């Protein structure tokens, strides 16, 4: 008898530890389920958010999901209730409240609307690059490696159209991939005479040698509270925005590789008040997130502290910070934007030069998802120009930078879109390497008002005319890497690493 009582007590204790309730009819009703963090994908509808949830349902409505539809959403708790399943959502790294599972995009594969490939038998398109996200029946993001595709690679050597089918459980999607018919597209003559370049300068090789005031262990990576002003040879840059370390749960908290947003910035673009940065969770990653900020609505200091902002301020900021799905971005340094779209060349920065085509992603600013993909190439009649750095001037024009290492000069290419075709023309060249130790270019942009380029290496910026005429060198002496340049209107925007800091100054 004693043995039976002890067993019953042990069972009851186990049930209590697991968070189960015993009903009046001796049936068990499950309570909250705790799990590692998962990434959730918002759907199109608006749903109430509640403070509490129990087996009877939610209570304490206090806000709506309409503020968080384009945020980074994660969850570590769910509960089955009489009114459906609810998840406790974490928005941009901050715990918010309970939401009905119907809020999420369930059993869905989101893909680009169109994929168009330049004819090139040296390149095959990976069809999974067209995926924005995949979700299961609970609206949880699924690794794209688990998706079944009817054709995993499409060689671009033969013109024609291929329909690609994607499936995961009940989720289905289809993309038409077209190889364009002009076999000479992308072939152009590199015939511009290189202009005299600047005296090569010495700089470090590798990561930043310093940080912002508080971005270090001594200051526990706390927020910055003072603006910076950097001056160099007529260029004055002032702090425009200090960015949050993460726009998600942080290190070792996210649970899946799709969840962590940060902490490495690799490229920026500014168009009007819209600032977008490419963020990766490691320096070797090819996939990452784009994060867009509406600078008109965000204080340059407050965005660092998303988790501790007042609720009303956080809700406002969350509606003005948009996070893309976890998509292929390449190195993230070839980026630009128009009023409606963000453009990224999803290139391979480990390739010194290659005959492969490169992917241009057109991403909608409205929802941060891939709209179209094109591939392009630049070839000097058989001598390839694989592009690592590029910028976009509107929807139909990009400028590309190519380092002709064999001849010791830089080439500038203007590539114009007509329909789905991208045609290159060399517009200029500059002698020399700019820096003397092989450090890579870390920022490139085109100033349309003055027909000139800005090129960044570590904490140096070089200004050259469109034809390659050298104009000036600006050494900012901050010992922090430049992680992107962008020109918009009469402003030059410069992103620094450690902490991510957007600065701006006048062009001339």
């Amino acid at each position: 008898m004693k043995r039976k009582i002890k067993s019953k007590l042990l069972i009851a204790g186990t049930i209590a530890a697991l968070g189960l309730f015993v009903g009046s009819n001796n049936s068990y009703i499950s309570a909250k389920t705790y799990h590692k963090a998962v990434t959730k994908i918002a759907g199109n509808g608006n749903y109430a958010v509640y403070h509490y949830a129990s087996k009877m349902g939610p209570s304490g409505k206090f806000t709506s999901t309409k503020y968080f539809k384009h945020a980074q959403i994660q969850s570590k708790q769910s509960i089955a209730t009489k009114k459906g399943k609810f998840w406790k959502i974490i928005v941009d790294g901050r715990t918010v409240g309970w939401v009905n599972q119907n809020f999420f995009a369930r059993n869905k594969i989101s893909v680009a609307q169109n994929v168009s490939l330049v004819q090139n038998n040296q390149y095959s398109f990976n069809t999974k690059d067209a995926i924005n996200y995949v979700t299961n029946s609970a609206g949880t993001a699924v690794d794209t490696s688990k998706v079944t595709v009817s054709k995993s690679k499409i060689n671009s050597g033969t013109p024609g159209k291929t329909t690609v089918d994607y499936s995961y459980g009940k989720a289905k999607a289809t993309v038409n991939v077209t190889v364009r018919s002009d076999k000479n597209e992308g072939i152009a003559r590199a015939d511009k005479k290189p202009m005299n370049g600047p005296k090569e300068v010495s700089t470090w090789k590798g990561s930043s040698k310093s940080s912002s005031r508080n971005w270090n262990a001594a200051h526990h990576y706390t927020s910055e509270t003072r603006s910076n002003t950097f001056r160099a040879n007529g260029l004055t840059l002032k702090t425009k925005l200090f960015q949050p370390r993460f726009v998600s749960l942080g290190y070792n908290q996210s649970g899946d590789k799709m969840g962590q947003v940060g902490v490495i910035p690799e490229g920026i673009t500014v168009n009007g008040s819209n600032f977008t940065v490419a963020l990766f969770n490691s320096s070797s990653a090819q996939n990452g997130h784009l994060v867009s900020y509406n600078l008109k609505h965000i204080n340059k200091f407050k965005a660092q502290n998303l988790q501790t902002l007042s609720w009303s301020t956080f809700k406002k900021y969350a509606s003005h910070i948009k996070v893309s799905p976890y998509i292929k971005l390449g190195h993230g340094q070839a980026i630009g934007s128009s009023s409606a779209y963000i453009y990224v060349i999803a290139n391979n920065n480990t390739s010194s030069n290659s005959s492969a085509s490169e992917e241009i992603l057109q991403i909608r600013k409205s929802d941060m998802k891939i709209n179209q993909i094109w591939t392009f190439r630049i070839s000097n009649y058989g001598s390839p120009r694989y592009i690592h750095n590029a910028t976009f001037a509107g929807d139909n024009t990009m400028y590309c930078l190519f380092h002709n290492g064999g001849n010791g000069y830089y080439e500038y290419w203007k590539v114009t879109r007509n329909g789905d075709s991208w045609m290159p023309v060399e517009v200029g060249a500059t002698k020399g390497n700019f820096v003397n130790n092989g450090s890579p270019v870390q920022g490139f942009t085109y100033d349309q008002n003055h027909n000139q380029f800005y090129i960044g290496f570590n904490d140096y910026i070089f200004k050259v005319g469109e034809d390659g005429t050298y104009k000036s060198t600006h050494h900012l002496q901050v010992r922090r890497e430049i992680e992107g340049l962008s020109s918009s209107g009469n402003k030059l925007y410069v992103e620094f690493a450690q902490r991510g800091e957007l600065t701006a100054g006048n062009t001339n």
Side-chain angles (χ1 to χ4, degrees):
M1 186 68 179
K2 289 181 180 179
R3 185 181 295 276
K4 291 181 180 179
I5 292 173
K6 186 175 180 180
S7 298
K8 289 180 179 179
L9 290 173
L10 180 61
I11 293 170
T14 303
I15 291 171
L18 291 172
L20 301 176
F21 297 101
V22 181
S24 58
N25 61 355
N26 293 325
S27 64
Y28 299 127
I29 302 175
S30 63
K32 296 182 179 72
T33 299
Y34 296 82
H35 46 74
K36 70 176 184 178
V38 293
T39 300
K40 309 293 287 185
I41 303 296
N44 295 323
N46 294 323
Y47 288 79
V49 182
Y50 301 88
H51 281 301
Y52 312 105
S54 70
K55 64 179 181 178
M56 302 304 295
S59 62
K61 175 183 173 182
F62 69 100
T63 191
S64 165
T65 59
K66 68 181 181 180
Y67 301 102
F68 314 126
K69 291 170 70 172
H70 304 302
Q72 178 69 352
I73 301 175
Q74 297 166 281
S75 181
K76 295 193 289 186
Q77 289 179 255
S78 60
I79 183 172
T81 80
K82 289 185 176 181
K83 296 184 178 181
K85 191 169 186 177
F86 283 75
W87 295 75
K88 193 169 191 178
I89 58 172
I90 301 163
V91 176
D92 296 342
R94 176 169 175 157
T95 300
V96 173
W98 294 91
V99 176
N100 190 296
Q101 181 168 276
N102 291 333
F103 165 57
F104 305 116
R106 298 182 295 149
N107 292 318
K108 186 168 183 181
I109 301 175
S110 171
V111 292
Q113 294 183 2
N114 180 59
V115 177
S116 177
L117 310 179
V118 65
Q119 191 176 153
N120 180 6
N121 59 15
Q122 300 297 309
Y123 170 79
S124 291
F125 176 70
N126 183 342
T127 57
K128 288 187 178 181
D129 290 353
I131 298 175
N132 283 300
Y133 62 77
V134 183
T135 61
N136 62 17
S137 60
T140 299
V142 175
D143 193 312
T144 57
S145 66
K146 298 179 180 179
V147 176
T148 299
V149 291
S150 59
K151 197 171 182 64
S152 61
K153 300 270 189 180
I154 295 177
N155 184 274
S156 57
T158 304
K161 184 172 75 172
T162 303
T163 298
V164 181
D165 297 317
Y166 302 78
S167 64
Y168 176 82
K170 295 181 179 180
K172 312 289 182 185
T174 299
V175 171
N176 289 323
V177 180
T178 302
V179 178
R180 302 192 289 273
S181 60
D182 184 359
K183 66 180 180 180
N184 294 317
E185 182 186 336
I187 298 175
R189 182 68 67 191
D191 56 4
K192 297 300 180 183
K193 180 182 177 181
M195 311 297 281
N196 290 329
K199 179 181 178 181
E200 292 183 4
V201 300
S202 297
T203 184
W204 73 88
K205 195 169 186 177
S207 59
S208 295
K209 301 303 178 184
S210 187
S211 68
S212 58
R213 295 180 186 92
N214 296 331
W215 182 273
N216 48 64
H219 292 88
H220 307 290
Y221 300 96
T222 53
S223 300
E224 304 298 335
T225 57
R226 288 188 289 161
S227 294
N228 289 313
T229 299
F230 305 126
R231 294 184 175 91
N233 192 21
L235 175 64
T236 300
L237 300 172
K238 295 185 178 181
T239 303
K240 194 75 175 175
L241 178 70
F242 285 112
Q243 293 135 58
R245 194 177 187 197
F246 297 99
V247 192
S248 68
L249 293 171
Y251 287 126
N252 303 317
Q253 299 178 45
S254 291
D256 60 59
K257 64 183 181 181
M258 298 168 282
Q260 182 179 309
V261 184
V263 63
I264 301 172
E266 286 289 2
I268 67 164
T269 179
V270 179
N271 188 284
S273 63
N274 182 269
F275 159 56
T276 301
V277 57
L279 287 177
F280 298 82
N281 55 34
S282 79
S283 58
S284 61
Q286 290 284 303
N287 283 53
H289 300 86
L290 296 174
V291 181
S292 287
Y293 300 84
N294 187 330
L295 297 174
K296 285 185 178 179
H297 296 281
I298 296 176
N299 177 274
K300 62 184 174 183
F301 298 114
K302 288 184 178 180
Q304 300 172 90
N305 305 302
L306 295 175
Q307 295 190 29
T308 57
L309 292 175
S310 69
W311 172 247
S312 61
T313 302
F314 173 78
K315 186 168 65 172
K316 174 186 173 184
Y317 278 30
S319 66
H320 291 294
I321 300 174
K322 294 183 178 182
V323 183
S324 79
Y326 184 72
I327 56 177
K328 181 182 176 182
L329 295 174
H331 189 47
Q333 284 281 8
I335 186 170
S337 57
S338 66
S339 59
Y341 298 102
I342 301 161
Y343 294 87
V344 179
I345 298 179
N347 53 15
N348 180 0
N349 69 304
T350 63
S351 175
S352 58
N353 201 12
S354 170
S355 296
S357 305
E358 298 181 72
E359 297 174 23
I360 300 172
L361 311 183
Q362 183 191 61
I363 295 155
R364 298 184 295 267
K365 285 185 175 179
S366 59
D367 61 8
M368 302 298 285
K369 297 178 180 64
I370 301 169
N371 186 55
Q372 295 191 73
I373 298 176
W374 301 275
T375 64
F376 79 101
R377 63 169 176 163
I378 301 175
S379 175
N380 179 26
Y381 289 88
S383 178
R385 268 65 175 150
Y386 192 87
I387 301 303
H388 287 187
N389 302 91
T391 188
F392 290 78
D395 292 300
N396 302 312
T397 305
M398 68 174 171
Y399 289 91
C400 300
L401 178 68
F402 177 74
H403 186 214
N404 192 325
N407 293 312
Y409 58 82
Y410 282 89
E411 298 172 359
Y412 312 98
W413 292 82
K414 181 179 181 180
V415 188
T416 305
R417 179 165 72 95
N418 182 9
D420 285 327
S421 298
W422 293 83
M423 297 301 297
V425 175
E426 188 187 21
V427 294
T430 307
K431 291 180 183 177
N433 299 306
F434 292 19
V435 298
N436 61 13
N437 67 344
S439 290
V441 174
Q442 292 169 292
F444 176 68
T445 193
Y446 179 68
D447 172 10
Q448 297 185 65
N449 287 349
H450 301 96
N451 299 319
Q452 61 191 10
F453 300 107
Y454 289 91
I455 308 168
F457 301 79
N458 287 337
D459 58 1
Y460 278 92
I461 297 175
F462 297 88
K463 182 167 64 177
V464 299
E466 185 174 329
D467 65 354
T469 301
Y470 165 70
K471 292 188 174 183
S472 57
T473 299
H474 307 274
H475 186 197
L476 296 158
Q477 300 189 53
V478 296
R479 294 180 63 77
R480 292 161 62 192
E481 290 177 84
I482 291 171
E483 291 292 4
L485 302 175
S486 183
S487 178
S488 179
N490 65 344
K491 296 290 186 183
L492 173 67
Y493 294 87
V494 182
E495 171 85 345
F496 290 100
Q498 300 183 185
R499 154 183 313 262
E501 177 184 2
L502 180 68
T503 64
N506 291 329
T507 58
N508 52 55

